[in-house]
Amino acid sequence: IYVKDRCAYVEAINGAIIYRGNEKMTRNVCALFCNEQDKFYFMVQNATNCWCGDYYTPYMYAGAPLCRLPCPGQEDETCGGKEGSE
């Protein structure tokens, strides 16, 4: 279970781990992977990228319009944007 926070430009992710699996990306795929890595935060960007970390430093709030790329594994869900992460 996770809570969607916001769309943001991210400056840094502490303790970053990158998902390199083969499943089509969804927020749940990323959340489950990060939970297995014992990381509290996760974010998706550019529809297919997933990062986990202990905490992150948002550069600034990006706004929902910058996080509208559909997730390949569940197209009615967004997986960030080219610049924004959620």
Side-chain angles (χ1 to χ4, degrees):
I1 296 177
Y2 63 88
V3 175
K4 182 179 172 186
D5 185 13
R6 60 187 164 175
C7 180
Y9 295 108
V10 175
E11 184 175 321
I13 304 169
N14 181 272
I17 297 174
I18 300 169
Y19 175 78
R20 299 195 190 279
N22 295 321
E23 287 187 67
K24 289 185 177 184
M25 188 52 60
T26 67
R27 284 188 233 138
N28 198 51
V29 166
C30 189
L32 290 173
F33 168 74
C34 294
N35 187 53
E36 290 169 0
Q37 307 305 310
D38 200 30
K39 297 295 182 181
F40 185 77
Y41 289 101
F42 77 92
M43 62 184 52
V44 288
Q45 182 187 41
N46 204 21
T48 58
N49 300 329
C50 165
W51 290 276
C52 315
D54 300 315
Y55 63 88
Y56 69 99
T57 305
Y59 173 66
M60 63 194 290
Y61 177 70
L66 293 177
C67 288
R68 289 196 174 159
L69 291 177
C71 299
Q74 188 170 338
E75 294 193 1
D76 63 339
E77 174 179 282
T78 58
C79 276
K82 290 184 180 183
E83 297 176 12
S85 300
E86 60 181 351

Coordinates of all heavy atoms in Angstrom, one line a residue:
I1 N 0.9 -1.2 0.0 CA 0.0 0.0 0.0 C 0.9 1.2 0.0 O 1.9 1.3 0.7 CB -0.9 0.0 1.2 CG1 -1.8 -1.2 1.1 CG2 -1.7 1.3 1.3 CD1 -2.8 -1.4 2.3
Y2 N 0.5 2.2 -0.8 CA 1.3 3.5 -0.8 C 0.3 4.7 -1.0 O -0.8 4.5 -1.3 CB 2.2 3.4 -2.0 CG 1.6 3.3 -3.4 CD1 1.2 4.5 -4.0 CD2 1.3 2.1 -3.9 CE1 0.6 4.4 -5.3 CE2 0.7 2.0 -5.2 CZ 0.3 3.1 -5.8 OH -0.3 3.0 -7.0
V3 N 0.9 5.8 -0.7 CA 0.1 7.1 -0.9 C 0.8 7.9 -2.0 O 2.0 8.2 -1.9 CB 0.1 7.9 0.4 CG1 -0.6 9.2 0.2 CG2 -0.6 7.1 1.5
K4 N 0.1 8.3 -3.0 CA 0.7 9.2 -4.0 C 0.8 10.5 -3.5 O -0.1 11.1 -2.9 CB -0.3 9.2 -5.3 CG 0.3 10.0 -6.4 CD -0.6 10.0 -7.6 CE -0.1 11.0 -8.6 NZ -1.1 11.1 -9.7
D5 N 2.0 11.1 -3.6 CA 2.3 12.4 -3.0 C 2.0 13.5 -4.0 O 1.0 14.2 -3.9 CB 3.7 12.4 -2.5 CG 4.1 13.7 -1.8 OD1 3.2 14.5 -1.4 OD2 5.3 13.9 -1.5
R6 N 2.9 13.7 -5.0 CA 2.8 14.9 -5.9 C 3.7 14.7 -7.0 O 4.6 13.8 -7.1 CB 3.2 16.2 -5.1 CG 4.6 16.1 -4.6 CD 5.0 17.3 -3.8 NE 6.2 16.9 -3.1 CZ 6.8 17.8 -2.3 NH1 6.3 19.0 -2.1 NH2 7.9 17.4 -1.7
C7 N 3.6 15.6 -8.0 CA 4.5 15.6 -9.1 C 5.6 16.7 -8.8 O 5.2 17.8 -8.5 CB 3.7 16.0 -10.4 SG 4.8 16.1 -11.9
A8 N 6.8 16.3 -8.9 CA 7.9 17.2 -8.5 C 9.1 17.0 -9.4 O 9.3 15.9 -9.9 CB 8.3 17.0 -7.0
Y9 N 9.9 18.0 -9.5 CA 11.3 17.9 -10.0 C 12.1 17.4 -8.8 O 12.0 18.0 -7.7 CB 11.8 19.2 -10.5 CG 11.1 19.8 -11.6 CD1 10.3 21.0 -11.5 CD2 11.2 19.3 -12.9 CE1 9.6 21.5 -12.5 CE2 10.6 19.9 -14.0 CZ 9.8 21.0 -13.8 OH 9.1 21.5 -14.9
V10 N 12.9 16.4 -9.0 CA 13.6 15.8 -7.9 C 15.1 16.2 -8.1 O 15.7 15.9 -9.1 CB 13.4 14.3 -7.8 CG1 14.3 13.7 -6.7 CG2 12.0 14.0 -7.5
E11 N 15.7 16.7 -7.0 CA 17.1 17.1 -7.0 C 18.0 15.9 -6.7 O 19.0 15.7 -7.3 CB 17.4 18.2 -6.0 CG 18.8 18.8 -6.0 CD 18.9 20.0 -5.1 OE1 18.0 20.8 -5.1 OE2 19.9 20.0 -4.5
A12 N 17.6 15.1 -5.6 CA 18.5 14.0 -5.2 C 17.6 13.0 -4.5 O 16.6 13.3 -3.9 CB 19.5 14.5 -4.3
I13 N 18.1 11.7 -4.6 CA 17.5 10.6 -3.9 C 18.5 10.0 -3.0 O 19.5 9.5 -3.5 CB 16.9 9.6 -4.8 CG1 15.9 10.2 -5.8 CG2 16.2 8.4 -4.0 CD1 15.5 9.3 -6.9
N14 N 18.4 10.0 -1.7 CA 19.4 9.4 -0.8 C 19.2 7.9 -0.8 O 18.1 7.3 -0.6 CB 19.2 9.9 0.6 CG 20.2 9.3 1.6 OD1 20.0 8.3 2.2 ND2 21.3 10.0 1.7
G15 N 20.3 7.1 -1.0 CA 20.3 5.7 -1.0 C 19.6 5.1 -2.2 O 18.9 4.1 -2.1
A16 N 19.7 5.8 -3.3 CA 18.9 5.4 -4.5 C 19.2 4.0 -5.0 O 20.4 3.6 -5.1 CB 19.2 6.4 -5.6
I17 N 18.2 3.3 -5.4 CA 18.2 2.0 -6.0 C 17.3 2.1 -7.3 O 16.2 2.6 -7.2 CB 17.7 0.9 -5.1 CG1 18.6 0.8 -3.9 CG2 17.6 -0.4 -5.9 CD1 18.1 -0.2 -2.9
I18 N 17.8 1.7 -8.4 CA 17.0 1.8 -9.7 C 16.4 0.4 -10.0 O 17.1 -0.6 -9.9 CB 18.0 2.2 -10.8 CG1 18.5 3.6 -10.4 CG2 17.2 2.3 -12.1 CD1 19.6 4.1 -11.4
Y19 N 15.2 0.4 -10.4 CA 14.5 -0.8 -10.8 C 15.0 -1.2 -12.2 O 15.1 -0.4 -13.1 CB 13.0 -0.6 -10.9 CG 12.2 -1.8 -11.5 CD1 12.0 -2.9 -10.7 CD2 11.7 -1.8 -12.8 CE1 11.3 -4.0 -11.2 CE2 11.0 -2.8 -13.3 CZ 10.8 -3.9 -12.5 OH 10.1 -5.0 -13.0
R20 N 15.5 -2.5 -12.4 CA 16.0 -2.9 -13.7 C 15.3 -4.2 -14.1 O 15.8 -5.0 -14.9 CB 17.5 -3.2 -13.6 CG 18.3 -1.9 -13.2 CD 19.7 -2.0 -13.5 NE 20.5 -0.9 -13.0 CZ 20.6 0.3 -13.6 NH1 20.0 0.5 -14.7 NH2 21.4 1.2 -13.0
G21 N 14.1 -4.4 -13.6 CA 13.3 -5.6 -13.9 C 12.7 -5.6 -15.3 O 12.8 -4.6 -16.0
N22 N 11.9 -6.6 -15.6 CA 11.3 -6.7 -16.9 C 9.8 -6.5 -16.9 O 9.2 -6.5 -18.0 CB 11.6 -8.1 -17.5 CG 13.1 -8.4 -17.7 OD1 13.7 -7.5 -18.2 ND2 13.5 -9.5 -17.4
E23 N 9.2 -6.3 -15.7 CA 7.7 -6.1 -15.7 C 7.4 -4.7 -16.3 O 8.2 -3.8 -16.1 CB 7.2 -6.2 -14.3 CG 7.2 -7.5 -13.7 CD 6.5 -7.6 -12.4 OE1 5.2 -7.3 -12.3 OE2 7.1 -7.8 -11.4
K24 N 6.3 -4.6 -17.0 CA 5.8 -3.4 -17.5 C 5.5 -2.5 -16.3 O 4.9 -2.9 -15.3 CB 4.6 -3.5 -18.4 CG 4.9 -4.1 -19.7 CD 3.6 -4.1 -20.5 CE 4.0 -4.7 -21.9 NZ 2.8 -4.6 -22.8
M25 N 6.0 -1.2 -16.3 CA 5.9 -0.4 -15.2 C 4.5 0.1 -14.8 O 3.7 0.4 -15.7 CB 6.8 0.9 -15.4 CG 7.0 1.8 -14.2 SD 7.5 0.9 -12.7 CE 9.1 0.2 -13.2
T26 N 4.2 0.0 -13.5 CA 3.1 0.6 -12.9 C 3.6 1.2 -11.6 O 4.7 0.9 -11.1 CB 1.9 -0.4 -12.6 OG1 2.4 -1.3 -11.6 CG2 1.5 -1.2 -13.9
R27 N 2.8 2.0 -10.9 CA 3.1 2.5 -9.6 C 3.3 1.3 -8.6 O 4.1 1.3 -7.8 CB 2.1 3.5 -9.1 CG 2.3 4.9 -9.8 CD 1.4 5.9 -9.1 NE 0.6 6.5 -10.1 CZ -0.7 6.8 -10.0 NH1 -1.4 6.5 -8.9 NH2 -1.3 7.3 -11.0
N28 N 2.4 0.3 -8.8 CA 2.4 -0.8 -7.9 C 3.7 -1.6 -8.1 O 4.3 -2.1 -7.1 CB 1.2 -1.7 -8.0 CG 1.0 -2.6 -6.9 OD1 1.0 -2.2 -5.7 ND2 0.8 -3.9 -7.2
V29 N 4.1 -1.8 -9.3 CA 5.4 -2.6 -9.6 C 6.5 -1.9 -8.9 O 7.3 -2.5 -8.2 CB 5.6 -2.7 -11.1 CG1 7.1 -3.1 -11.4 CG2 4.6 -3.7 -11.8
C30 N 6.6 -0.6 -9.0 CA 7.7 0.2 -8.4 C 7.6 0.1 -6.9 O 8.6 -0.1 -6.2 CB 7.6 1.7 -8.9 SG 9.0 2.7 -8.4
A31 N 6.4 0.3 -6.3 CA 6.2 0.3 -4.9 C 6.6 -1.1 -4.3 O 7.2 -1.2 -3.3 CB 4.7 0.6 -4.5
L32 N 6.2 -2.2 -5.0 CA 6.5 -3.5 -4.5 C 8.0 -3.7 -4.5 O 8.6 -4.3 -3.6 CB 5.8 -4.6 -5.3 CG 4.3 -4.7 -5.0 CD1 3.6 -5.6 -6.0 CD2 4.0 -5.1 -3.6
F33 N 8.7 -3.3 -5.6 CA 10.1 -3.5 -5.7 C 10.8 -2.7 -4.6 O 11.7 -3.2 -3.9 CB 10.6 -2.9 -7.1 CG 12.1 -2.8 -7.2 CD1 12.9 -3.9 -7.3 CD2 12.7 -1.5 -7.2 CE1 14.3 -3.7 -7.4 CE2 14.0 -1.4 -7.2 CZ 14.8 -2.5 -7.3
C34 N 10.4 -1.5 -4.4 CA 11.0 -0.7 -3.3 C 10.8 -1.2 -1.9 O 11.7 -1.1 -1.1 CB 10.6 0.8 -3.5 SG 11.2 1.5 -5.0
N35 N 9.6 -1.8 -1.7 CA 9.3 -2.4 -0.4 C 10.3 -3.6 -0.2 O 10.8 -3.8 0.9 CB 7.9 -2.8 -0.4 CG 7.5 -3.3 1.0 OD1 7.7 -2.7 2.0 ND2 6.9 -4.5 1.0
E36 N 10.5 -4.4 -1.3 CA 11.5 -5.5 -1.2 C 12.9 -5.0 -0.8 O 13.7 -5.7 -0.3 CB 11.5 -6.3 -2.5 CG 10.2 -7.1 -2.7 CD 10.1 -7.6 -4.1 OE1 11.0 -7.5 -4.9 OE2 9.1 -8.3 -4.4
Q37 N 13.2 -3.8 -1.3 CA 14.5 -3.2 -1.0 C 14.6 -2.5 0.3 O 15.6 -1.9 0.7 CB 14.9 -2.2 -2.1 CG 14.8 -2.7 -3.5 CD 15.6 -4.0 -3.7 OE1 16.8 -4.0 -3.4 NE2 15.0 -5.0 -4.3
D38 N 13.5 -2.5 1.1 CA 13.4 -1.9 2.4 C 13.6 -0.4 2.3 O 14.2 0.2 3.1 CB 14.3 -2.5 3.4 CG 13.9 -2.2 4.8 OD1 12.7 -2.1 5.1 OD2 14.8 -2.1 5.7
K39 N 13.0 0.2 1.2 CA 13.1 1.7 1.0 C 11.7 2.3 1.2 O 10.7 1.7 0.7 CB 13.6 2.0 -0.4 CG 15.1 1.5 -0.7 CD 16.1 2.2 0.3 CE 17.5 1.8 0.0 NZ 18.4 2.4 0.9
F40 N 11.7 3.4 1.8 CA 10.4 4.0 2.2 C 9.8 4.8 1.0 O 8.6 4.7 0.7 CB 10.5 4.9 3.4 CG 9.2 5.5 3.8 CD1 8.4 4.8 4.6 CD2 8.9 6.8 3.5 CE1 7.1 5.3 5.0 CE2 7.7 7.4 3.9 CZ 6.8 6.6 4.7
Y41 N 10.6 5.5 0.2 CA 10.1 6.3 -0.9 C 10.4 5.6 -2.2 O 11.4 5.0 -2.4 CB 10.9 7.7 -0.9 CG 10.4 8.6 0.3 CD1 11.2 8.7 1.4 CD2 9.2 9.2 0.2 CE1 10.8 9.5 2.4 CE2 8.8 10.0 1.3 CZ 9.6 10.2 2.4 OH 9.2 10.9 3.4
F42 N 9.5 5.9 -3.1 CA 9.7 5.4 -4.5 C 9.1 6.5 -5.4 O 8.2 7.3 -5.0 CB 9.0 4.1 -4.8 CG 7.5 4.1 -5.0 CD1 7.0 4.3 -6.2 CD2 6.7 4.0 -3.9 CE1 5.6 4.3 -6.4 CE2 5.3 4.0 -4.0 CZ 4.8 4.2 -5.3
M43 N 9.6 6.6 -6.6 CA 9.1 7.5 -7.6 C 9.2 6.9 -9.0 O 10.1 6.1 -9.3 CB 9.8 8.8 -7.5 CG 11.2 8.8 -7.8 SD 11.9 10.4 -7.6 CE 11.4 10.8 -6.0
V44 N 8.3 7.3 -9.8 CA 8.3 6.9 -11.2 C 8.4 8.1 -12.1 O 8.0 9.2 -11.7 CB 7.0 6.1 -11.6 CG1 7.0 4.7 -11.0 CG2 5.7 6.8 -11.2
Q45 N 9.1 8.0 -13.2 CA 9.4 9.1 -14.1 C 9.4 8.5 -15.5 O 9.9 7.4 -15.8 CB 10.6 9.8 -13.8 CG 10.9 11.0 -14.7 CD 12.2 11.7 -14.4 OE1 13.2 11.0 -14.2 NE2 12.3 13.0 -14.5
N46 N 9.0 9.3 -16.5 CA 9.1 9.0 -17.9 C 8.5 7.7 -18.3 O 9.0 7.0 -19.1 CB 10.6 9.1 -18.3 CG 10.7 9.4 -19.8 OD1 9.8 9.9 -20.4 ND2 11.9 9.0 -20.4
A47 N 7.4 7.3 -17.6 CA 6.6 6.1 -17.8 C 7.3 4.8 -17.5 O 6.6 3.9 -17.1 CB 6.1 6.1 -19.2
T48 N 8.6 4.7 -17.5 CA 9.3 3.4 -17.3 C 10.3 3.4 -16.2 O 10.8 2.3 -15.9 CB 9.9 2.9 -18.6 OG1 10.8 3.9 -19.1 CG2 8.8 2.7 -19.7
N49 N 10.7 4.5 -15.7 CA 11.8 4.6 -14.7 C 11.2 4.5 -13.3 O 10.2 5.2 -13.0 CB 12.6 5.9 -14.9 CG 13.2 6.0 -16.2 OD1 13.6 5.0 -16.8 ND2 13.4 7.2 -16.7
C50 N 11.9 3.8 -12.4 CA 11.5 3.6 -11.0 C 12.7 3.7 -10.2 O 13.7 3.1 -10.4 CB 10.8 2.3 -10.8 SG 10.6 1.7 -9.1
W51 N 12.6 4.6 -9.2 CA 13.7 4.8 -8.2 C 13.2 4.6 -6.8 O 12.1 5.0 -6.5 CB 14.3 6.2 -8.3 CG 15.1 6.5 -9.5 CD1 16.4 6.1 -9.7 CD2 14.6 7.1 -10.7 NE1 16.8 6.6 -11.0 CE2 15.7 7.2 -11.6 CE3 13.4 7.7 -11.0 CZ2 15.6 7.8 -12.8 CZ3 13.3 8.3 -12.3 CH2 14.4 8.3 -13.1
C52 N 14.0 4.1 -5.9 CA 13.7 3.9 -4.5 C 14.7 4.7 -3.7 O 15.9 4.8 -4.1 CB 13.8 2.5 -4.1 SG 13.0 1.3 -5.2
G53 N 14.4 5.1 -2.5 CA 15.3 5.7 -1.6 C 14.8 5.9 -0.2 O 13.7 5.7 0.1
D54 N 15.8 6.3 0.7 CA 15.4 6.6 2.1 C 14.7 7.9 2.2 O 13.8 8.0 3.1 CB 16.7 6.5 2.9 CG 17.4 5.2 2.8 OD1 16.8 4.2 2.9 OD2 18.7 5.2 2.6
Y55 N 15.1 8.9 1.4 CA 14.4 10.1 1.4 C 14.8 10.8 0.1 O 15.7 10.4 -0.6 CB 14.7 11.0 2.6 CG 16.1 11.5 2.7 CD1 16.6 12.6 2.1 CD2 17.0 10.7 3.5 CE1 17.9 13.0 2.3 CE2 18.3 11.1 3.7 CZ 18.7 12.3 3.1 OH 20.0 12.7 3.2
Y56 N 14.1 11.8 -0.3 CA 14.4 12.6 -1.6 C 14.3 14.0 -1.3 O 13.7 14.5 -0.4 CB 13.5 12.2 -2.7 CG 12.0 12.6 -2.6 CD1 11.6 13.8 -3.2 CD2 11.1 11.9 -1.8 CE1 10.3 14.2 -3.1 CE2 9.8 12.3 -1.7 CZ 9.4 13.5 -2.3 OH 8.1 13.9 -2.2
T57 N 15.0 14.8 -2.1 CA 15.0 16.2 -2.0 C 14.3 16.8 -3.3 O 14.9 16.7 -4.4 CB 16.5 16.8 -2.0 OG1 17.2 16.1 -0.9 CG2 16.5 18.3 -1.8
P58 N 13.1 17.3 -3.1 CA 12.4 17.8 -4.3 C 13.0 19.2 -4.6 O 13.3 20.0 -3.7 CB 11.0 18.0 -3.8 CG 11.0 18.0 -2.3 CD 12.3 17.3 -1.9
Y59 N 13.3 19.4 -5.9 CA 13.8 20.7 -6.3 C 12.7 21.7 -6.3 O 12.9 22.8 -5.8 CB 14.4 20.5 -7.7 CG 14.8 21.8 -8.4 CD1 15.8 22.6 -7.9 CD2 14.1 22.3 -9.5 CE1 16.2 23.7 -8.5 CE2 14.5 23.5 -10.1 CZ 15.5 24.2 -9.5 OH 15.9 25.4 -10.1
M60 N 11.5 21.3 -6.8 CA 10.3 22.2 -6.7 C 9.1 21.4 -7.1 O 9.2 20.4 -7.8 CB 10.5 23.4 -7.6 CG 10.7 23.1 -9.1 SD 11.3 24.4 -10.1 CE 9.9 25.5 -10.2
Y61 N 8.0 21.9 -6.8 CA 6.7 21.3 -7.2 C 6.6 21.4 -8.7 O 6.7 22.5 -9.2 CB 5.6 21.9 -6.4 CG 4.2 21.4 -6.8 CD1 3.8 20.1 -6.5 CD2 3.3 22.3 -7.5 CE1 2.6 19.7 -6.8 CE2 2.1 21.8 -7.8 CZ 1.7 20.5 -7.5 OH 0.5 20.1 -7.9
A62 N 6.3 20.4 -9.4 CA 6.2 20.5 -10.9 C 4.8 20.7 -11.3 O 4.5 21.3 -12.4 CB 6.8 19.2 -11.5
G63 N 3.8 20.2 -10.6 CA 2.4 20.3 -11.1 C 2.0 19.1 -11.9 O 2.7 18.5 -12.7
A64 N 0.8 18.7 -11.7 CA 0.2 17.5 -12.4 C 0.4 17.5 -13.9 O 0.6 16.4 -14.4 CB -1.3 17.3 -12.0
P65 N 0.3 18.6 -14.6 CA 0.5 18.5 -16.1 C 1.8 17.9 -16.5 O 1.9 17.4 -17.6 CB 0.3 19.9 -16.5 CG -0.6 20.6 -15.5 CD -0.1 19.9 -14.2
L66 N 2.8 18.0 -15.7 CA 4.1 17.4 -16.0 C 4.3 16.0 -15.7 O 5.3 15.4 -15.9 CB 5.2 18.3 -15.4 CG 5.4 19.7 -15.9 CD1 6.4 20.4 -15.2 CD2 5.6 19.7 -17.4
C67 N 3.2 15.4 -15.2 CA 3.3 13.9 -14.8 C 2.0 13.2 -15.4 O 1.2 12.7 -14.7 CB 3.2 13.8 -13.3 SG 4.8 14.2 -12.5
R68 N 2.0 13.2 -16.7 CA 0.8 12.7 -17.4 C 1.1 11.5 -18.3 O 0.3 11.1 -19.1 CB 0.1 13.8 -18.2 CG -0.6 14.7 -17.3 CD -1.6 15.5 -18.0 NE -2.4 16.4 -17.1 CZ -3.0 17.5 -17.5 NH1 -3.0 17.8 -18.7 NH2 -3.7 18.2 -16.6
L69 N 2.3 10.9 -18.2 CA 2.6 9.8 -19.1 C 1.9 8.5 -18.5 O 2.1 8.2 -17.4 CB 4.1 9.6 -19.2 CG 4.8 10.7 -20.0 CD1 6.3 10.4 -20.0 CD2 4.3 10.8 -21.4
P70 N 1.2 7.8 -19.4 CA 0.6 6.6 -18.9 C 1.6 5.5 -18.5 O 2.6 5.4 -19.2 CB -0.3 6.2 -20.0 CG 0.2 6.8 -21.2 CD 0.9 8.0 -20.8
C71 N 1.3 4.7 -17.5 CA 2.1 3.5 -17.2 C 2.0 2.5 -18.2 O 0.8 2.1 -18.6 CB 1.8 3.0 -15.8 SG 1.9 4.1 -14.5
P72 N 3.0 1.9 -18.8 CA 2.9 0.8 -19.8 C 2.1 -0.4 -19.3 O 1.4 -1.0 -20.0 CB 4.4 0.4 -20.0 CG 5.2 1.6 -19.7 CD 4.4 2.2 -18.5
G73 N 2.2 -0.7 -18.0 CA 1.5 -1.8 -17.4 C 0.1 -1.6 -17.0 O -0.7 -2.5 -16.6
Q74 N -0.3 -0.3 -16.9 CA -1.7 0.1 -16.5 C -1.9 1.5 -17.1 O -1.7 2.5 -16.4 CB -1.9 0.0 -15.0 CG -3.3 0.2 -14.6 CD -3.5 -0.1 -13.1 OE1 -2.7 -0.8 -12.5 NE2 -4.5 0.4 -12.6
E75 N -2.4 1.6 -18.3 CA -2.5 2.9 -19.0 C -3.5 3.8 -18.4 O -3.5 5.0 -18.8 CB -2.7 2.6 -20.5 CG -1.5 1.9 -21.1 CD -1.4 2.0 -22.6 OE1 -2.4 2.5 -23.2 OE2 -0.5 1.4 -23.1
D76 N -4.4 3.4 -17.5 CA -5.3 4.4 -16.9 C -4.6 5.1 -15.7 O -5.3 5.8 -14.9 CB -6.6 3.7 -16.5 CG -6.4 2.6 -15.4 OD1 -5.3 2.1 -15.3 OD2 -7.4 2.3 -14.8
E77 N -3.4 4.8 -15.5 CA -2.6 5.3 -14.3 C -1.4 6.1 -14.9 O -0.8 5.7 -15.9 CB -2.1 4.1 -13.5 CG -1.2 4.4 -12.4 CD -0.9 3.1 -11.7 OE1 -1.7 2.6 -10.9 OE2 0.2 2.5 -11.9
T78 N -1.0 7.2 -14.2 CA 0.2 7.9 -14.7 C 1.5 7.4 -14.0 O 1.5 7.0 -12.9 CB 0.0 9.4 -14.5 OG1 -0.2 9.6 -13.1 CG2 -1.1 10.0 -15.3
C79 N 2.6 7.5 -14.8 CA 3.9 7.1 -14.3 C 4.9 8.3 -14.5 O 5.9 8.2 -15.2 CB 4.4 5.9 -14.9 SG 3.8 4.3 -14.2
G80 N 4.6 9.4 -13.9 CA 5.4 10.6 -14.1 C 5.4 11.2 -15.4 O 4.4 11.1 -16.2
G81 N 6.4 11.9 -15.8 CA 6.5 12.6 -17.0 C 8.0 12.7 -17.4 O 8.9 12.1 -16.8
K82 N 8.3 13.3 -18.6 CA 9.7 13.4 -19.0 C 10.5 14.2 -18.0 O 11.7 14.0 -17.9 CB 9.7 14.1 -20.4 CG 9.1 13.2 -21.5 CD 9.2 13.8 -22.8 CE 8.7 12.8 -23.8 NZ 8.8 13.2 -25.2
E83 N 9.9 15.2 -17.3 CA 10.7 16.0 -16.4 C 10.2 15.8 -14.9 O 11.0 15.8 -14.0 CB 10.6 17.5 -16.7 CG 11.2 17.8 -18.1 CD 11.0 19.2 -18.5 OE1 10.5 20.0 -17.6 OE2 11.2 19.5 -19.6
G84 N 8.9 15.5 -14.8 CA 8.4 15.4 -13.4 C 8.3 14.0 -12.9 O 8.2 13.0 -13.7
S85 N 8.5 13.8 -11.7 CA 8.5 12.5 -11.0 C 7.3 12.5 -10.0 O 7.0 13.5 -9.4 CB 9.8 12.2 -10.3 OG 10.9 12.2 -11.1
E86 N 6.7 11.3 -9.9 CA 5.6 11.2 -8.9 C 5.7 9.9 -8.1 O 6.4 9.0 -8.5 CB 4.2 11.3 -9.5 CG 3.9 10.3 -10.6 CD 2.5 10.5 -11.2 OE1 1.7 11.3 -10.7 OE2 2.2 9.8 -12.1

